[in-house]
Amino acid sequence: MIKGIKGVKDILPEDTPRWRFIEETARRWADRYGFTEIRIPIFEVTALFARSIGATTDIVEKEMYTFPDRDGTSLTLRPEGTAGTVRAFVEHNRAAHPLPQKYFYIGPMFRHERPQAGRLRQFHQFGVEYFGTQDARADVDVMALLWRFLSDLALPDLTLEINSLGSSGDRAAYLPVLVSFLKGRQEKLCDNCRRRIETNPLRVLDCKVPTCRAATDDAPQLTAYLSPDAKGHFDQVLSGLAALGIPSQLNPRLVRGLDYYCLTAFEITSSHLGAQNAVGAGGRYDGLVELLGGPPTPAVGFAAGLERIAMMLPEQSLPASTPSVYVASFGSEGGPAGVQLLDALRRAGVSAQSDYRANTLKAHLRQADRAHCRFAVFLGDDEVRSGSTVVRNMDTKAQETVSLPDLPRYFLTVIQGS
Ligand code: HAM
């Protein structure tokens, strides 16, 4: 037997209603904030991700699915959606169109991580990217969209953590101070962090190893090195969130695992998720469009992990499924009439089904129950001849006689009213 790949999951029919509901809710919220959908490719040239996410990040160093194309070009399955969206923005010269522009995407991403609950190798993101303004209200919009979307789904115990990574100039002033602090604590850091002092010192602040956390407890904080502009921006973001009643928590250790960020960085976590507790995350990336060959265009966005949302979604958040009708047909005339009735109901917009193997009333009713049909119609030779059928409400067991040609209209009315 050939099995699926570790960390790459099937989403089976019993789970897809949950997924569809999450995706539909995401689309609805994106629409309310004026984001329109972009569909970007699943794979791109490797250089796109290395350049935008950063050559020394975990994603690029260890987690990408990279393979040579037949002509030798190095290709990579997208580990996230920002790089591809920015590539498309630049390639199609979208900056020449009126700004701002707001895009969203939903789709699979690929990272070679150690699989565990909430961490997969193929996972799905709902992401938004807002191009063309550095106004702090855009940062607030993006965070509010994520917060309102997750709250609408009734996900429990959410916390919005926020930090400012300053401008590149602010970080240039801060990094030597951080590096010299870290060098003084080197022997207390894990191997990975010791290496990061040289390659990506900010990430040391984000290490989850308890000894590293303790050793960097009193590390100098980037927020103390913010320029007046960056500080002003951050203050506006914080007061903008407060004005909308969205609670946020300052987390000076929040540095994000992707290099393109500047100014605002944020994460929404939930204590219900265990070790992989980020439901969604994002921030501002004002330099990325230019880095990928476009005109200077500030931007801000987020991505949320749909597997983590699906794990946390309370059952009662799910809407009831649309009622379906079961056609129980028997006999030499009832059988063919049943097929015609199914066709008529479906064409009228009613979900209708039957089990062609069943030939007793009992077997039909068992199938109607299994398929969670709300109604069953009995259609034997007698009913075909008389032109009237019996409709059974599967919940209340109440029965009613309805004429055969009236059935599509009857069910449409009942279902629309339910
Ligand atoms: P990220 O923090 O790498 O950011 O991922 C965003 C979210 O994707 C995470 O908070 C998590 O919910 C989910 N996620 C990430 N990796 C996995 C995994 N292996 N398994 C399951 N879920 C996962 C980004 O991807 C940025 N592109 C976000 C962004 C958009 N920033 C600006 N615009």
Side-chain angles (χ1 to χ4, degrees), residues 59 80-82 105 111 113 118-120 123 125 128-129 256 258 260-261 278-283 285 301-305 308:
I59 297 180
E80 55 105 54
T82 309
Y105 47 85
R111 296 184 194 176
E113 296 192 82
R119 189 161 72 187
L120 292 139
F123 60 99
Q125 283 186 344
V128 312
E129 313 294 357
R256 309 282 295 124
L258 305 98
Y260 46 63
Y261 291 113
V279 193
Y285 50 96
F302 74 73
R308 295 184 190 176

Side-chain angles (χ1 to χ4, degrees), residues 60 64 168 220 245 379:
V60 172
M64 295 206 303
S168 51
L379 188 57

Side-chain angles (χ1 to χ4, degrees), residues 236-297:
Q236 284 172 33
V237 169
L238 295 177
S239 59
L241 286 171
L244 298 183
I246 297 175
S248 63
Q249 250 177 42
L250 231 60
N251 177 358
R253 282 180 179 269
L254 181 68
V255 295
R256 309 282 295 124
L258 305 98
D259 282 354
Y260 46 63
Y261 291 113
C262 63
L263 299 173
T264 315
F266 62 93
E267 235 169 56
I268 295 187
T269 56
S270 170
S271 49
H272 278 240
L273 274 176
Q276 304 305 317
N277 66 353
V279 193
R284 187 161 269 292
Y285 50 96
D286 290 344
L288 187 57
V289 174
E290 203 177 0
L291 182 73
L292 294 181
T297 311

